[in-house]
Amino acid sequence: MNASPFSCLLAAACLLPVPALAGPPGAHVHGAARLQVAVDGSTLNLQLETPLASLVGFEHAPRTAQQKQALQAMADRLRQANEIFTPTPAARCTLVSVELESPLLQPSPPAGGDGHADLDGSFVFRCDDAAALRDLEVGLFASFPKLRRLDVQVAGPRGQSAARLSPQQRRVSW
Ligand SMILES: [Zn+2]
């Protein structure tokens, strides 16, 4: 088994500075991820940035069939974004696009680097009644149990806000 959030802190290969609990924007923290929520007209835009360790538990090029399968299953799951992200039902939002980017999702993942790898996901919903859009329930924790914390930033019609989600607190409101 690989990298619990804490084993990384001890591993010699883990050379990134270890941020305090509230890391700076862009911090790569195993077990955590960041989500930017933007409401723009009828469009709900979600940008996920996460260490792969927070999703599949490793960040190196897959070495076994099981690891390849884990990456594939992760990507398949995220592409079903309408089952992971639930905007306010009254807003009647439908998923229109999903884009996933990660070095490990390329046909031949690059070796080397600093041993860390992220996944960036872009999820776009179109909403029939965007004025009713008031919150978002995030189901990432159920699908990815290694994820323990999600720092959310919202840019909505009434300004910006931030929230920290967890397996116990899965809904962000604005
Ligand atoms: Zn990492």
Side-chain angles (χ1 to χ4, degrees), residues 3 9 22 42 44 59 111 130 134 136 153:
L9 301 184
S42 62
L44 171 66
E59 300 187 337
R134 286 285 182 269
L136 176 74
Q153 295 210 311

Side-chain angles (χ1 to χ4, degrees), residues 8 14 16 28-30 51-53 59 114-118:
C8 175
C14 210
L16 285 188
H28 176 107
V29 180
H30 293 183
L52 278 167
E59 300 187 337
D114 63 359
H116 292 276
D118 280 337

Side-chain angles (χ1 to χ4, degrees), residues 1-3 52-53 56-64 67-68 71 102-105 109-112 115-117:
M1 282 299 290
N2 230 305
L52 278 167
V56 293
F58 61 90
E59 300 187 337
H60 53 73
R63 293 195 271 262
T64 65
Q67 289 172 347
K68 282 192 183 120
L71 282 173
S102 174
L104 297 199
L105 291 178
H116 292 276

Side-chain angles (χ1 to χ4, degrees), residues 29-121:
V29 180
H30 293 183
R34 300 190 310 138
L35 182 70
Q36 293 193 335
V37 177
V39 181
D40 183 13
S42 62
T43 301
L44 171 66
N45 210 311
L46 307 177
Q47 297 283 337
L48 176 70
E49 181 184 341
T50 174
L52 278 167
S54 302
L55 301 182
V56 293
F58 61 90
E59 300 187 337
H60 53 73
R63 293 195 271 262
T64 65
Q66 192 185 15
Q67 289 172 347
K68 282 192 183 120
Q69 204 269 333
L71 282 173
Q72 189 60 50
M74 170 204 71
D76 290 347
R77 188 82 193 107
L78 289 173
R79 287 195 182 97
Q80 307 291 318
N82 53 335
E83 294 174 9
I84 291 185
F85 300 106
T86 309
T88 318
R92 300 193 306 278
C93 303
T94 46
L95 180 67
V96 291
S97 72
V98 176
E99 282 176 39
L100 303 178
E101 268 192 43
S102 174
L104 297 199
L105 291 178
Q106 293 169 12
S108 29
D114 63 359
H116 292 276
D118 280 337
L119 176 131
D120 293 329

